[in-house]
């Protein structure tokens, strides 16, 4: 077939498939059968394989084909992606309206407000150049995010090409990637069957799915995109947010059907309560309503204050509560032997997630709330925290409810448990208790530990029960044949796990320290210790005094570190890790942490809290370059009091300007991230 004929057919197929994709995923109103769709798709794939040079960037085959990335590149948003000020009460919303009225007096137009759900997902930005999706990124810190174009291309409700006749040169679309509650539950069910870790909620599932280096994994996850705003636009202009969103909808996106515009704040309130009412009926998690001034001109007049616009507010929903029944109370043994009472509940859905258990924290808490087996209770799920019992509905008591008594033996190893003075918890002090062993290994292998991908809790439980492993180091002596003895373990999965264990032999020092599960040492402290000591050997050698010298290490922490490394069993485990091929990394004191590398700053005017030299050194430490004159290569100008002509020049060149507050925030953010 001659090339131009092929090209014609490819063009036709791309447009046709993209159209049917839109009908199916965005409009939820397909015109053709799945079989017909597959036929078109296969034909396109066949032609593209023979003529790769004719492959179009908006071809639907591009949604799935990409190779895994090594790591995510960071990209700067041309307009910062701001966060939202939050409020919780009607009165606080009225305060917001009052501020808008005060600020915008003299502006003759009425103030219109745009209200819609606050989606609980992950914010992303999509950059379309001449109608073609070019890059997609996460919000990140608002200024820079991670480039995840290939992953976003797998989301079917994101058009690869805008559906407008004459697309603008540049259109940046912003919105939220979410997962529907049904899809989330189905996915988790499958993961449970496969023995994989479960996601806590649809938001975590969406975020985790997007941050995969392999786009094929993202492609297998049921993600969706709701558009709620724009960034930079060239070749088109809008007066109002509502107009921009209507345009975006016509261009092929889903915008919220729940959005409303009104100049009467009373209507906005009504809408908030209507959304609150609908909360458990809609397929996505919403955690509030976002209210924005509709006119872009009025928005500009209100401006922003340290990263949040003054023209918008997120009016949050109260944490979701439900009533259910306590079927039983039992205790769980944690990684450090802490015994936690847990209520087994009659399953109930709370804001879209089925809840079967609630932590009762400890004996005192249980007594204070007087929770008994058989009680009707109000439970609450706030964000992604474990559900908790708010209170007992005492009026529902029949008198048959049973009080719970803490056991005097560990339910797993049957050794006596103790409650140390001053502690709220009972502990099982037998460090070989299988429950603790399991939890320690789960913690060791988790993402915040050495991150053994695919080694889920269920597998670890099985291996401990079958006595295949008794501590984390044993993992490094496993062979594929051992794994094949486990239930439902196929050859390929066993191979993958062995590979993942292999890959975990070179962890970062901080991860490894965290993985050990030293009591009172979490992720943050592990970072601090890694930075301070630089190697495991140094940390193991440190005595109480040396540890106490570190700012963030108090007496309790210093004690637990010393006793952890004094413990013979722990020392042996660390030796065994080495024998198993674990590389014990070292950290150079001078870190190569340089998040601002490649960014050029200019300082002008006097800052209140930093001398010029301090400001320069702080920036340079983070990898930034500080120069003395503003040019088009300058990324940021930090402006203090009485700035000079550099300030004017920066404005002329449209360079991002940081006042002292934003500068301070920037430093704080990166220094914390370190
Ligand atoms: S507008 C200045 N609209 O909220 C405008 N954001 O706190 C900022 N979000 O990171 C964004 N639903 O992830 C906007 N309908 C909505 C939203 C929404 C959820 C999230 C978004 C952003 C965060 C800001």
């Amino acid at each position: 077939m001659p090339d131009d004929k092929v090209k014609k057919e490819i063009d036709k197929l791309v447009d046709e498939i993209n159209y049917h994709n839109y009908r199916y995923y965005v409009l939820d109103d397909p015109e053709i059968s799945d079989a017909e769709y597959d036929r078109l798709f296969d034909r396109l794939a066949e032609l593209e394989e023979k003529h790769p040079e004719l492959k179009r960037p908006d071809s639907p085959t591009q949604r799935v084909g990409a190779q895994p990335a090594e790591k995510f590149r960071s990209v700067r948003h041309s307009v910062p992606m701001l966060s939202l000020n939050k409020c919780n009460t009607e009165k606080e919303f009225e305060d917001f309206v009052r501020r808008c009225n005060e600020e915008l007096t003299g502006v003759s137009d009425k103030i219109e407000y745009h209200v819609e759900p606050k989606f609980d997902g992950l914010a992303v930005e999509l950059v379309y150049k001449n109608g073609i999706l070019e890059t997609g990124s996460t919000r990140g810190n608002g200024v820079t995010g991670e480039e995840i174009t290939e992953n976003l291309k797998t989301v079917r409700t994101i058009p690869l090409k805008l559906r407008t006749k004459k697309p603008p040169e540049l259109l940046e679309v912003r919105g939220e990637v979410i997962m529907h509650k049904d899809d989330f539950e189905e996915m988790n069910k499958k993961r449970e069957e496969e023995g994989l870790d479960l996601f806590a909620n649809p938001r975590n599932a969406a975020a985790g799915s997007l941050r995969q280096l392999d786009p094929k994994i993202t492609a297998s996850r049921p993600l969706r995109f709701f558009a709620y705003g724009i960034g930079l636009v060239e070749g088109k202009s809008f007066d109002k947010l509502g107009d921009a969103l209507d345009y975006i909808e016509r261009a092929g996106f889903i915008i919220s059907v729940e959005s409303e515009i009104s100049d009467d704040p009373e209507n906005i309130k009504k809408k908030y309560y209507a959304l609150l009412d609908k909360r458990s009926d809609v397929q996505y998690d919403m955690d509030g309503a976002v209210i924005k001034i509709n006119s872009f001109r009025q928005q500009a007049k209100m401006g922003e204050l340290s990263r949040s616009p003054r023209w918008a507010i997120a009016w949050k929903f109260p944490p979701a509560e439900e009533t259910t029944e306590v079927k039983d109370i039992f205790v769980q043994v944690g990684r450090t032997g802490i015994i936690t009472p847990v209520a087994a509940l009659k399953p109930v859905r709370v804001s879209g997630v089925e809840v079967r258990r609630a932590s009762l924290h400890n004996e005192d808490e249980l007594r204070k709330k007087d929770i008994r087996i058989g009680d009707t209770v109000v439970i609450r799920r706030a964000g992604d925290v474990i559900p908790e019992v708010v209170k007992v509905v005492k009026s529902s008591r029949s008198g048959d409810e049973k009080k719970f008594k803490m056991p005097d033996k560990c339910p797993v190893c049957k050794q006596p448990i103790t409650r140390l003075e001053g502690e709220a918890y009972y502990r099982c002090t037998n460090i070989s208790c299988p429950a603790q062993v399991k939890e320690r290994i789960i913690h060791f292998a988790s993402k915040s530990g050495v991150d053994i991908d695919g080694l889920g809790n269920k597998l670890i439980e099985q291996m401990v029960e079958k006595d295949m492993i008794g501590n984390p180091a044993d993992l490094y002596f496993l062979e594929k044949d051992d794994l094949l003895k486990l239930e439902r373990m196929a050859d390929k999965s066993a191979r993958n796990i062995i590979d993942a264990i292999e890959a975990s032999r070179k962890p970062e020092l901080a991860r490894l320290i965290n993985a050990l599960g030293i009591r009172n040492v979490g992720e943050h402290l592990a970072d601090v210790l890694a930075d301070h000591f630089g190697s495991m050997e140094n940390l193991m050698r440190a005595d109480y005094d040396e540890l106490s010298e570190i700012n963030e290490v108090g007496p309790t922490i210093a004690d637990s570190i010393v006793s952890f490394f004094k413990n013979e069993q722990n020392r042996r485990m660390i030796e065994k890790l080495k024998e198993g091929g674990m590389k014990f990394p070292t950290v150079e004191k001078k870190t190569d942490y340089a998040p601002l590398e490649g960014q050029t700053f200019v300082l002008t005017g006097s800052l209140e809290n930093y001398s010029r030299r301090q400001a320069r050194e702080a920036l340079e430490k983070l990898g930034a370059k500080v120069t003395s004159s503003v040019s088009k290569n300058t990324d940021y100008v930090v402006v203090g009091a009485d700035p000079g002509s550099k300030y004017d020049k920066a404005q002329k060149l449209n360079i991002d300007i940081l006042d002292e507050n934003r500068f301070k925030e920037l430093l704080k953010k990166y220094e914390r991230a370190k």
Side-chain angles (χ1 to χ4, degrees):
M1 208 171 9
D3 262 17
D4 62 333
K5 221 169 142 214
V6 179
K7 183 170 180 311
K8 262 210 194 113
E9 190 179 348
I10 288 188
D11 281 350
K12 187 159 168 271
L13 282 165
V14 168
D15 290 342
E16 234 175 275
I17 299 170
N18 281 345
Y19 170 74
H20 290 301
N21 184 74
Y22 172 70
R23 299 275 332 182
Y24 186 91
Y25 289 102
V26 177
L27 301 184
D28 196 11
D29 182 18
E31 271 177 2
I32 57 172
S33 68
D34 290 3
E36 180 67 359
Y37 182 91
D38 291 345
R39 201 186 57 73
L40 294 172
F41 197 95
D42 292 345
R43 172 71 183 151
L44 176 63
E46 180 193 331
L47 287 177
E48 283 180 344
E49 188 162 0
K50 281 195 206 133
H51 304 270
E53 74 286 355
L54 296 177
K55 213 181 257 182
R56 278 174 35 172
D58 61 331
S59 166
T61 61
Q62 297 301 295
R63 286 198 189 267
V64 283
Q67 291 301 310
E70 290 271 310
K71 62 178 231 184
F72 298 119
R73 208 164 54 87
S74 73
V75 277
R76 254 172 85 93
H77 303 296
S78 23
V79 182
M81 291 180 81
L82 303 170
S83 50
L84 288 165
N85 280 323
K86 300 188 176 54
C87 74
N88 294 305
T89 61
E90 193 168 313
K91 175 166 175 312
E92 287 172 331
F93 169 67
E94 285 163 0
D95 291 342
F96 164 75
V97 170
R98 192 165 325 111
R99 279 198 301 277
C100 294
N101 281 328
E102 279 166 15
E103 299 274 328
L104 297 173
T105 47
V107 178
S108 53
D109 306 347
K110 276 198 156 179
I111 305 174
E112 284 178 342
Y113 299 94
H114 175 278
V115 54
E116 67 178 355
K118 182 169 191 307
F119 304 105
D120 201 6
L122 193 78
V124 302
E125 175 168 78
L126 304 164
V127 181
Y128 288 85
K129 294 217 171 125
N130 297 311
I132 304 287
L133 174 60
E134 208 173 85
T135 27
S137 55
T138 62
R139 172 170 179 265
N141 61 16
V143 178
T144 52
E146 287 177 321
E147 200 246 70
I148 49 165
T149 314
E150 294 307 329
N151 291 351
L152 287 168
K153 277 188 182 167
T154 70
V155 179
R156 306 296 163 133
T157 45
I158 293 180
L160 300 177
K161 182 184 176 194
L162 301 179
R163 297 180 47 76
T164 42
K165 286 250 160 50
K166 268 205 279 161
E169 286 118 66
L170 177 70
L171 176 67
E172 294 181 347
V173 178
R174 292 170 173 189
E176 199 91 347
V177 171
I178 56 127
M179 197 179 279
H180 273 184
K181 295 171 190 170
D182 283 356
D183 291 338
F184 162 75
E185 270 166 35
E186 199 181 314
M187 184 176 109
N188 253 356
K189 212 156 89 207
K190 265 200 229 136
R191 290 178 71 87
E192 191 167 15
E193 282 163 16
E194 289 164 17
L196 298 172
D197 286 345
L198 302 188
F199 287 108
N201 54 40
R203 176 170 52 91
N204 287 6
S209 301
L210 271 187
R211 295 200 68 265
Q212 293 288 336
L213 289 169
D214 184 354
K216 289 202 177 63
I217 299 180
T218 314
S220 73
R221 306 278 172 82
L223 299 172
R224 294 163 199 263
F225 177 76
F226 279 106
Y228 56 59
I230 52 174
L232 201 59
V233 182
E234 281 165 12
K236 175 118 203 109
S237 74
F238 302 103
D239 291 337
K240 295 176 176 179
L241 174 65
D243 300 344
L245 291 176
D246 286 346
Y247 177 82
I248 286 175
E249 184 176 26
R250 287 196 302 276
F253 292 90
I254 298 182
I255 63 169
S256 175
V257 290
E258 295 291 349
S259 68
E260 232 171 83
I261 295 170
S262 170
D263 59 16
D264 182 355
E266 289 307 313
N267 287 336
I268 303 293
K269 280 188 204 167
K270 273 193 209 130
K271 183 71 196 180
Y272 168 86
Y273 290 109
L275 286 173
L276 181 56
D277 244 12
K278 275 197 184 158
R279 181 184 197 181
S280 49
D281 302 331
V282 293
Q283 260 302 332
Y284 45 87
D285 271 344
M286 44 177 171
D287 53 351
V290 180
I291 298 129
K292 301 168 199 157
I293 290 183
N294 195 29
S295 146
F296 287 130
R297 199 162 46 88
Q298 290 178 347
Q299 286 186 4
K301 185 139 195 293
M302 294 281 293
E304 65 194 60
L305 200 72
S306 77
R307 296 279 166 89
S308 306
R310 305 180 60 240
W311 44 264
I313 196 150
W315 184 359
K316 303 274 284 184
F317 290 154
E321 293 185 352
E322 268 318 322
T323 307
T324 186
E325 208 181 294
V326 176
K327 290 274 179 214
D328 195 7
I329 297 177
F330 60 95
V331 295
Q332 250 175 2
V333 191
R335 163 164 65 86
T336 54
I338 289 182
I339 309 264
T340 316
V342 178
L345 304 169
K346 185 166 157 222
V348 58
R349 286 174 77 92
V350 191
S351 60
V353 175
E354 194 176 73
V355 173
R356 297 166 168 275
R357 284 172 184 197
S359 167
L360 304 174
H361 304 294
N362 56 52
E363 192 184 24
D364 294 348
E365 179 88 5
L366 197 142
R367 295 270 164 269
K368 204 167 73 201
K369 290 186 178 158
D370 188 18
I371 302 164
R372 303 178 192 180
I373 299 167
D375 263 340
T376 300
V377 289
V378 176
I379 60 161
R380 167 159 63 199
R381 213 187 118 236
D384 52 2
V385 298
I386 306 164
E388 57 174 3
V389 174
V390 183
K391 60 170 187 208
V392 173
V393 186
K394 296 224 166 109
S395 58
S396 303
R397 277 194 177 155
S398 66
D400 293 340
E401 293 74 19
K402 278 198 234 73
K403 282 199 180 173
F404 171 75
K405 196 175 156 295
M406 280 299 263
D408 47 11
K409 289 198 181 76
C410 167
V412 179
C413 71
K414 314 290 182 223
Q415 302 273 328
I417 61 177
T418 50
R419 181 171 171 174
L420 295 182
E421 239 187 68
E423 276 202 13
Y425 302 102
Y426 282 91
R427 284 177 197 274
C428 164
T429 46
N430 166 20
I431 61 168
S432 316
C433 169
Q436 289 184 49
V437 169
K438 255 182 236 171
E439 293 300 326
R440 277 202 296 269
I441 302 177
I442 289 173
H443 173 77
F444 183 87
S446 73
K447 283 226 175 335
S448 63
V450 301
D451 192 10
I452 305 181
D453 205 21
L455 188 63
N457 298 2
K458 292 262 151 65
L459 281 178
I460 295 177
E461 272 173 31
Q462 268 194 68
M463 289 197 268
V464 174
E465 272 154 28
K466 290 196 161 50
D467 231 2
M468 285 163 61
I469 50 177
N471 66 45
D474 292 340
L475 290 170
Y476 295 92
F477 294 87
L478 287 174
E479 285 177 13
K480 203 179 85 183
D481 287 346
D482 300 324
L483 295 179
L484 287 173
K485 289 181 204 137
L486 299 171
E487 282 160 37
R488 268 179 294 153
M489 175 63 69
D491 198 74
K492 181 152 178 275
S493 326
R495 182 75 263 149
N496 287 345
I497 291 173
I498 294 289
D499 288 349
I501 293 176
E502 173 62 37
S504 75
R505 282 189 167 101
K506 286 188 229 152
E508 283 168 28
L509 182 58
R511 293 286 182 91
L512 184 59
I513 295 175
N514 186 45
L516 293 178
I518 305 169
R519 201 179 285 177
N520 304 313
V521 175
E523 270 182 88
H524 172 67
L525 217 56
D527 276 342
V528 172
L529 294 171
D531 267 356
H532 186 91
F533 290 103
S535 74
M536 188 63 85
E537 287 76 16
N538 290 347
L539 173 62
M540 287 174 76
R541 246 183 268 133
D543 62 13
Y544 180 90
D545 290 340
E546 195 180 348
L547 284 161
S548 307
E549 269 168 29
I550 305 170
N551 245 342
E552 294 174 68
V553 177
T556 322
I557 299 174
D559 260 342
S560 27
I561 298 174
V562 172
S563 57
F564 182 89
F565 289 114
K566 231 169 57 194
N567 179 295
E568 194 46 42
Q569 211 171 338
N570 291 336
R571 296 187 79 93
R572 242 184 291 140
M573 199 274 287
I574 290 170
E575 267 317 302
K576 197 162 174 204
L577 277 175
K578 273 190 200 151
E579 285 162 26
M582 172 70 79
K583 297 270 174 295
F584 280 63
T586 49
V587 179
E588 277 189 41
K589 278 285 161 64
K590 192 184 151 301
T591 59
D592 51 8
Y593 174 74
L596 294 179
E597 192 164 56
Q599 312 263 8
T600 307
F601 284 72
V602 172
L603 305 167
T604 177
S606 52
L607 299 171
E608 238 174 74
N609 296 301
Y610 306 83
S611 70
R612 210 31 102 70
R613 186 179 53 80
Q614 281 171 329
R616 196 188 64 231
E617 282 179 2
L619 286 168
E620 286 173 347
K621 236 176 146 175
L622 295 170
K625 195 162 125 195
V626 181
T627 63
S628 55
S629 64
V630 177
S631 75
K632 64 178 193 325
N633 297 326
T634 310
D635 293 296
Y636 290 99
V637 176
V638 181
V639 177
D642 304 321
S645 63
K646 291 176 196 171
Y647 179 47
D648 303 326
K649 190 153 178 210
Q651 280 183 318
K652 224 179 273 156
L653 291 175
N654 219 351
I655 290 168
D656 212 338
I657 289 170
L658 301 178
D659 60 14
E660 180 154 354
N661 263 335
R662 276 188 68 198
F663 173 64
K664 207 163 94 191
E665 267 178 36
L666 181 101
L667 294 182
K668 247 193 7 219
K669 165 158 282 146
Y670 287 117
E671 277 161 3
R672 232 186 304 126
K674 195 160 116 179

